Amino acid sequence: MRALLYPLMKIRSGFGLDHKKRTCFRVFAKGLRLSWGSSTNYWTFPEVEFGPDAKIAVAELKRICGFEVWGTMNNLQMLTRATTYEVLLELKMKQEASWWQPPVGCYFAAPFTAMTRNSIDFDTQFPKDNEWKTLGLGMFTVSENPSFVDDDMIIFALRHDSARWKTGLVIRCLTIRAVDLIS
């Protein structure tokens, strides 16, 4: 999918096709909503390599107490019919990451799917190894003849409330990609 999206520093999101010609979607870090995201006191947006010849901006957390990342996608008509999708957040924890207890709240909602709420233990699920990992937020299916209405959308949020300063999280992008289900 990377080759079809042509990710550049100023692009916040993009569509592409996978090897089966199913529509996939990616929202890069600057296209997500971050608590205090416009303040350089809390976040930086360094460039990183993304594929063989592209760079993107990632969101690197400096230090924050109340943490929230969220996003929506409302142009669902562009998704491929009769397809199941998974929604993933690509992130990593740096060596100096700290104070991610208690677990982070994860919320996900999509049309025709019940809203899910989970708790994620970042300390065990995302080791401080500075390696990119994916966090599965949820799945949904677009039927053969979906009846989307104008306000249908996918919504996700990560939230961590504590009085302690959190550090060391880096967010690359949100990916919505088609999956092959084994029946």
Side-chain angles (χ1 to χ4, degrees), residues 122-166:
F122 269 39
D123 285 337
T124 58
Q125 200 166 351
F126 299 99
K128 299 174 189 175
D129 60 4
N130 211 31
E131 296 290 325
W132 292 110
K133 308 269 188 302
T134 56
L135 171 61
L137 300 173
M139 296 178 77
F140 65 97
T141 300
V142 177
S143 68
E144 186 67 46
N145 296 304
S147 56
F148 291 127
V149 294
D150 289 340
D151 61 351
D152 276 346
M153 66 178 63
I154 297 166
I155 302 168
F156 89 93
L158 291 179
R159 185 181 185 134
H160 190 270
D161 292 319
S162 79
R164 298 193 183 254
W165 290 95
K166 289 160 274 309

Side-chain angles (χ1 to χ4, degrees), residues 14-167:
F15 279 92
L17 299 175
D18 69 6
H19 66 285
K20 292 184 178 180
K21 300 190 190 286
R22 299 174 295 192
T23 306
C24 298
F25 188 72
R26 182 169 276 143
V27 180
F28 298 102
K30 283 201 165 188
L32 299 173
R33 295 182 183 116
L34 308 167
S35 52
W36 298 100
S38 60
S39 173
T40 56
N41 292 329
Y42 302 102
W43 296 91
T44 61
F45 293 91
E47 291 183 13
V48 299
E49 297 292 323
F50 191 76
D53 56 357
K55 290 186 177 189
I56 60 166
V58 296
E60 189 170 311
L61 177 63
K62 288 181 177 180
R63 209 174 93 122
I64 203 163
C65 276
F67 167 79
E68 199 167 47
V69 176
W70 68 100
T72 62
M73 179 188 163
N74 59 3
N75 46 352
L76 302 180
Q77 295 78 8
M78 296 183 79
L79 296 174
T80 305
R81 304 297 183 246
T83 302
T84 297
Y85 286 90
E86 64 181 342
V87 181
L88 307 164
L89 187 65
E90 295 181 33
L91 54 90
K92 67 180 174 180
M93 300 298 274
K94 297 174 72 173
Q95 292 287 335
E96 63 271 16
S98 63
W99 296 109
W100 289 96
Q101 311 84 15
V104 176
C106 175
Y107 308 88
F108 175 77
F112 319 114
T113 304
M115 181 176 186
T116 60
R117 292 182 177 108
N118 297 307
S119 293
I120 299 154
D121 186 344
F122 269 39
D123 285 337
T124 58
Q125 200 166 351
F126 299 99
K128 299 174 189 175
D129 60 4
N130 211 31
E131 296 290 325
W132 292 110
K133 308 269 188 302
T134 56
L135 171 61
L137 300 173
M139 296 178 77
F140 65 97
T141 300
V142 177
S143 68
E144 186 67 46
N145 296 304
S147 56
F148 291 127
V149 294
D150 289 340
D151 61 351
D152 276 346
M153 66 178 63
I154 297 166
I155 302 168
F156 89 93
L158 291 179
R159 185 181 185 134
H160 190 270
D161 292 319
S162 79
R164 298 193 183 254
W165 290 95
K166 289 160 274 309
T167 62

